């Protein structure tokens, strides 16, 4: 549960800074967060 909260918090911070950073930086950050969430989802499915 903590990982989901942390990921959403990071997503909020990144979305808040989108207007201030270049597009490639935004895309890299979005990719990192997406991969992290995907790994989390896969691990949760395997755990059950």
């Amino acid at each position: 549960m903590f990982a989901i909260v942390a990921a959403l918090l990071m997503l909020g911070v990144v979305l808040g800074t989108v207007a201030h950073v270049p597009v490639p930086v935004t895309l890299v950050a979005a990719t990192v967060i997406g991969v992290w969430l995907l790994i989390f989802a896969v691990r949760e499915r395997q755990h059950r």
Side-chain angles (χ1 to χ4, degrees):
M1 185 68 181
F2 178 74
I4 293 174
V5 173
L8 289 174
L9 180 63
M10 284 180 53
L11 182 62
V13 169
V14 170
L15 287 176
T17 60
V18 166
H20 304 288
V21 295
V23 173
V25 174
T26 302
L27 294 177
V28 169
T31 302
V32 168
I33 292 171
V35 168
W36 182 25
L37 287 172
L38 183 63
I39 290 170
F40 177 78
V42 168
R43 289 180 60 194
E44 284 295 311
R45 267 193 105 93
Q46 288 178 349
H47 182 66
R48 294 179 186 186

